[in-house]
Amino acid sequence: DGTADSQFSVGAWVNHSSLEGVQAILTKSDATTADTKHEWLLISDNSGRIELQLYDDSQGGIILARYAKGNALSLSTWAFVVATYSGSGNVGGFTLFKNGLVASTPVNEELVYGVPPNTDTAGVYTAMADTPALVRLASVQGASAPAGFFNGKIAGGPCGPFFTHKKLTAGDVQGLYNYCRILLEPPSL
């Protein structure tokens, strides 16, 4: 509502063909007008690091969490990425998971936390506002057209991308990983 955040989790099984450029996994953001409608983006950067960005358009603020290079994703390999947020209004509410395990929490140096250093992201973060922006898979709505296309595969069906209004526990994420790992990883001979 723009005054208080709610908890949520977002995730997907991804398999990169290329790590070039920022690639959207699942986003709710629209930059087509002067009145942008940003909420959240789950993306991978050009190093294969997963990042969750939350936007407060009314204040011009952003908070984010990102994998450190040691947790970057590999090419041509399925990975289960999940980002959870407690609704706290600060970076301490993030937890990122890779393949069912906590990639990091705010007290661990495996993640980089904070506001990006470029000037267009300066501002105060209070909370996201529910905007009419569409949730998009494998792209983000840019100023004139979709952009940031995901280069690779994103699993569908019962292992498809998800968003839930709940901060999943480590046990929840591990259970989802174990279920879909069997479906996505080829058996060893």
Side-chain angles (χ1 to χ4, degrees), residues 49 60 73 82 92 99 141 166:
R49 296 179 296 175
L73 303 180
V82 176
N99 293 334
Q141 181 59 49
K166 175 186 177 189

Side-chain angles (χ1 to χ4, degrees), residues 30-38 141-144:
D30 187 339
T32 56
T33 66
D35 180 25
T36 59
K37 297 162 189 71
H38 300 298
Q141 181 59 49
S144 60

Side-chain angles (χ1 to χ4, degrees), residues 1-41:
D1 65 4
T3 59
D5 270 342
S6 298
Q7 61 182 332
F8 73 93
S9 300
V10 60
W13 277 89
V14 298
N15 186 328
H16 281 84
S17 298
S18 167
L19 296 176
E20 293 182 27
V22 174
Q23 299 179 38
I25 298 170
L26 201 58
T27 65
K28 187 173 185 198
S29 179
D30 187 339
T32 56
T33 66
D35 180 25
T36 59
K37 297 162 189 71
H38 300 298
E39 280 188 57
W40 52 266
L41 294 97

